[in-house]
Amino acid sequence: MNKSLVLAAIVAAVALAACGKKEEVVAPAPAPSVVVVPAESPSASAAAAAATGAASAATGAASAAADSANAAVSAATDAASAAGSAATSAGAAASAAK
């Protein structure tokens, strides 16, 4: 009896497996890609010209800042030299006073 029951279960499982339908999944075709290249408008040209002008102004400002920095370095060097000379003179005067 147990063998009959096991055999019947196996036959039923095989029958159900054979009768089952396998569904195929169909993937949709990809949409064709479209590349849109916008035409250059007058406002884009004006914006490009403004950007070029701004870059030129920034370059000029950076150059002026570099010139100012060089002048400041020169002034500081001159001041340090003068301070060194003053210290030497003060030392000589203190030695002479002894």
Side-chain angles (χ1 to χ4, degrees), residues 34-71:
V34 178
V35 177
V36 177
V37 179
E40 187 172 327
S41 65
S43 62
S45 296
T52 302
S56 178
T59 302
S63 177
D67 291 343
S68 295
N70 287 336

Side-chain angles (χ1 to χ4, degrees), residues 60-97:
S63 177
D67 291 343
S68 295
N70 287 336
V73 167
S74 178
T77 302
D78 292 344
S81 177
S85 295
T88 302
S89 296
S95 293

